[in-house]
Amino acid sequence: MDRLGKDCVHCAHQLCAKKVPIFSVLDEEELNRVTELIVRKKYNKGELIIIEGSNPESLIIINRGKVKVFKNSHDGKEHILYIFSTGDFFGEKNILRKSDATYSAEALEETHVCMIRKDSFQQMIRQNPDIGIKLLEELCRRMDAVESMSMENAEGKVNKVLLEFSKKYGKDHPKGILVDLPLSREGIANYIGVTRETVSRKMSSLQDESVIKMIGNKKIL
Amino acid sequence: MDRLGKDCVHCAHQLCAKKVPIFSVLDEEELNRVTELIVRKKYNKGELIIIEGSNPESLIIINRGKVKVFKNSHDGKEHILYIFSTGDFFGEKNILRKSDATYSAEALEETHVCMIRKDSFQQMIRQNPDIGIKLLEELCRRMDAVESMSMENAEGKVNKVLLEFSKKYGKDHPKGILVDLPLSREGIANYIGVTRETVSRKMSSLQDESVIKMIGNKKIL
DNA sequence: CGTTCGATTGATGTCAGTCAACCCGAGTGG
DNA sequence: CCACTCGGGTTGACTGACATCAATCGAACG
């Protein structure tokens, strides 16, 4: 359990409910109610938040940090499904379907999360249907992303993923946009379903074409 | 507009709201209210229900028939995203996101649908948050399907899609399960993102291994 | 300064796509 | 009733993109 804000309602707001998009529709009083339903927790880099095959019963919202959600294919390879960061949620399947988790989730850095249990969640949605609508919106966005990614070949996927990272993690810089990649080449490869060598090659050719410039593990657009 | 039941509330129930899973949480009175928000429409085989790039503003529920939802990749190939039939809904993106449709939808046979406009839908969710939960459940199911399909190679995809069709459209039969395929080989190919030749080959080997038996365009498991 | 682990680069293999020929059943028209 | 066409389906040969395997590089860290 997180030592921060355990008994400080105002801190709790700051930490969680207030900055989460899906709760943006709530007013102060509703936020207070939601805050009471939340359990906070901290994970260190590399710790597993959800393990495939277990049966967690909470929705998880990221307060600070980054999380990768992945599953292993029968031949043992890791397929990363999503990279989530501050304000994102995951684990909605845990509370909407009865089955065991079909995926694992691991903290990529020190990560603080808020957890809402199944029954609290249902109650919350009934009191604030607009949260449900927000959730639906976000799921639609994810579907869109998955659908459009699935139509690309290796080169298109690398381009898309770099664009995605530059939007999410890019910072302005005199010579373009500086992006701090959340994943290694291997991670990117597992994310888009190709090998690390392919990622290397495609990124090298992008550099040859002067589209990007690599600096260690960051890059400039 | 469908000539049936235009002014018959009871017929309307039968036609639409009552047999749709997402409305299964409603009681009689709530069903009545929902029914009033619905517009019915009929499409013939081959007619387009939604065109990529247009800006429809309704959720669409299939009352009878089959619909394929697809998009075209830049090189002009058709990618089928889903095959929907009685009781399924689609177009949720239309009412949850402001952007234009990123996909098209075409009736695969004579199809009767119910349409709920954006504002009616929002109102409906606010009155019956449980419908929102049902929708979330269904979207999660679809995500699961997409996620697990994306990890398969061509052979695995063919197996999965045949299994899916046999679950959805299969009928018991003395020698196994008789499946009436909703798509041609080419359609299946576009559905799982391979070529029609590959589908042919994989299905032939399945037949060699006596896993399936083909009869024209149907098959026995 | 050496070890280590990820990244890169090159050589080779393989799965599925492409191209092309042929088959077959459904229509169509003589 | 048969001949012809036409559109999908099947099958085979070839190709190409990406995976695999392997060697080398290079930055980070003790």
Side-chain angles (χ1 to χ4, degrees):
Chain A
M1 192 67 58
D2 190 347
R3 64 184 158 64
L4 295 168
K6 198 191 293 193
D7 42 24
C8 162
V9 174
H10 184 63
C11 292
H13 279 178
Q14 293 292 4
L15 280 174
C16 224
K18 215 163 189 172
K19 60 184 182 186
V20 172
I22 58 169
F23 293 142
S24 63
V25 292
L26 303 181
D27 61 28
E28 274 301 315
E29 191 202 325
E30 290 167 332
L31 270 176
N32 280 329
R33 275 210 306 273
V34 167
T35 301
E36 282 163 25
L37 303 174
I38 285 174
V39 172
R40 281 171 292 286
K41 201 157 177 198
K42 190 192 93 173
Y43 293 91
N44 292 317
K45 178 174 175 164
E47 275 190 281
L48 285 167
I49 303 172
I50 290 179
I51 299 175
E52 191 167 351
S54 71
N55 193 5
E57 296 207 320
S58 295
L59 177 78
I60 295 164
I61 299 167
I62 301 174
N63 187 19
R64 187 149 58 83
K66 287 197 186 65
V67 171
K68 79 171 171 193
V69 171
F70 63 99
K71 64 201 300 185
N72 291 97
S73 56
H74 25 54
D75 59 350
K77 268 188 283 193
E78 175 177 296
H79 282 241
I80 298 178
L81 300 170
Y82 307 100
I83 301 297
F84 290 130
S85 54
T86 306
D88 289 325
F89 65 88
F90 63 94
E92 65 284 352
K93 276 201 277 278
N94 306 336
I95 51 183
L96 290 164
R97 313 195 54 191
K98 47 248 136 243
S99 54
D100 290 344
T102 56
Y103 60 92
S104 303
E106 178 188 322
L108 289 176
E109 54 189 49
E110 184 179 310
T111 297
H112 297 250
V113 303
C114 299
M115 304 169 67
I116 303 180
R117 291 188 56 76
K118 190 188 191 107
D119 43 3
S120 309
F121 173 80
Q122 307 255 0
Q123 173 192 343
M124 189 178 83
I125 296 270
R126 293 206 178 94
Q127 278 170 13
N128 299 287
D130 283 350
I131 293 178
I133 292 177
K134 281 276 172 199
L135 288 169
L136 283 167
E137 278 174 21
E138 174 59 20
L139 290 187
C140 284
R141 233 188 310 280
R142 290 182 195 172
M143 294 287 268
D144 250 8
V146 170
E147 285 165 5
S148 71
M149 183 64 94
S150 71
M151 314 189 16
E152 298 288 334
N153 59 12
E155 186 163 335
K157 285 180 183 174
V158 171
N159 294 341
K160 272 216 161 148
V161 84
L162 290 182
L163 213 55
E164 176 193 332
F165 286 158
S166 99
K167 273 198 197 116
K168 274 205 214 158
Y169 309 115
K171 297 205 187 316
D172 279 338
H173 183 275
K175 302 202 163 183
I177 304 170
L178 187 67
V179 183
D180 218 333
L181 296 176
L183 293 174
S184 66
R185 300 305 137 97
E186 178 152 28
I188 296 175
N190 293 338
Y191 190 23
I192 62 183
V194 300
T195 58
R196 64 175 171 288
E197 291 96 326
T198 300
V199 174
S200 248
R201 284 186 244 269
K202 299 302 178 189
M203 284 181 66
S204 294
S205 27
L206 281 177
Q207 179 155 243
D208 292 347
E209 300 160 24
S210 310
V211 181
I212 62 173
K213 184 159 185 319
M214 293 188 252
I215 311 166
N217 289 10
K218 313 184 216 160
K219 76 163 188 28
I220 297 190
L221 245 190
Chain B
M1 193 65 60
D2 192 345
R3 65 185 156 63
L4 295 168
K6 197 191 294 193
D7 42 26
C8 161
V9 174
H10 185 62
C11 292
H13 278 179
Q14 294 292 4
L15 280 174
C16 224
K18 213 160 190 172
K19 60 184 183 189
V20 172
I22 58 169
F23 293 144
S24 62
V25 292
L26 303 181
D27 61 29
E28 274 300 315
E29 190 201 326
E30 291 168 331
L31 270 176
N32 280 330
R33 275 210 305 273
V34 167
T35 301
E36 281 163 25
L37 303 174
I38 285 175
V39 172
R40 282 172 290 287
K41 201 157 175 197
K42 189 192 96 174
Y43 293 91
N44 292 316
K45 177 173 176 166
E47 274 190 280
L48 285 167
I49 302 172
I50 290 179
I51 299 174
E52 190 167 351
S54 70
N55 193 4
E57 296 206 320
S58 295
L59 177 78
I60 294 164
I61 300 167
I62 301 174
N63 186 19
R64 186 148 58 81
K66 287 197 185 68
V67 171
K68 79 171 172 193
V69 170
F70 63 99
K71 65 201 301 184
N72 290 98
S73 57
H74 24 54
D75 59 349
K77 268 188 280 194
E78 175 177 298
H79 283 241
I80 298 177
L81 300 170
Y82 307 100
I83 301 296
F84 290 131
S85 53
T86 306
D88 289 326
F89 65 88
F90 63 94
E92 66 283 354
K93 277 201 276 280
N94 306 335
I95 52 181
L96 290 164
R97 313 194 55 190
K98 47 249 133 242
S99 55
D100 290 343
T102 55
Y103 61 93
S104 304
E106 178 188 321
L108 289 177
E109 54 188 53
E110 184 179 311
T111 297
H112 297 250
V113 303
C114 299
M115 305 169 68
I116 303 180
R117 290 189 56 78
K118 189 187 192 109
D119 44 2
S120 309
F121 173 80
Q122 307 254 1
Q123 173 192 343
M124 189 178 83
I125 296 271
R126 293 204 177 95
Q127 279 172 12
N128 299 287
D130 284 351
I131 293 178
I133 293 177
K134 279 277 170 196
L135 287 169
L136 284 167
E137 278 174 21
E138 174 60 20
L139 290 187
C140 284
R141 232 189 311 279
R142 289 183 196 171
M143 295 285 269
D144 249 9
V146 170
E147 285 164 5
S148 71
M149 183 64 96
S150 72
M151 313 189 16
E152 298 288 335
N153 60 10
E155 187 163 334
K157 285 180 182 174
V158 171
N159 295 341
K160 272 215 161 146
V161 83
L162 291 183
L163 214 54
E164 176 193 333
F165 286 158
S166 98
K167 272 196 198 116
K168 275 203 214 161
Y169 308 115
K171 298 207 186 315
D172 279 338
H173 183 277
K175 301 202 163 181
I177 304 169
L178 186 68
V179 183
D180 217 334
L181 296 175
L183 293 174
S184 66
R185 302 303 138 96
E186 178 149 30
I188 296 175
N190 293 338
Y191 190 23
I192 62 183
V194 301
T195 58
R196 64 176 172 288
E197 291 97 323
T198 300
V199 174
S200 246
R201 283 188 247 268
K202 298 303 177 190
M203 284 182 65
S204 294
S205 28
L206 281 177
Q207 179 155 243
D208 292 346
E209 300 159 25
S210 310
V211 181
I212 63 172
K213 182 155 186 321
M214 294 188 251
I215 312 168
N217 288 11
K218 314 183 215 158
K219 76 163 187 28
I220 298 191
L221 248 192

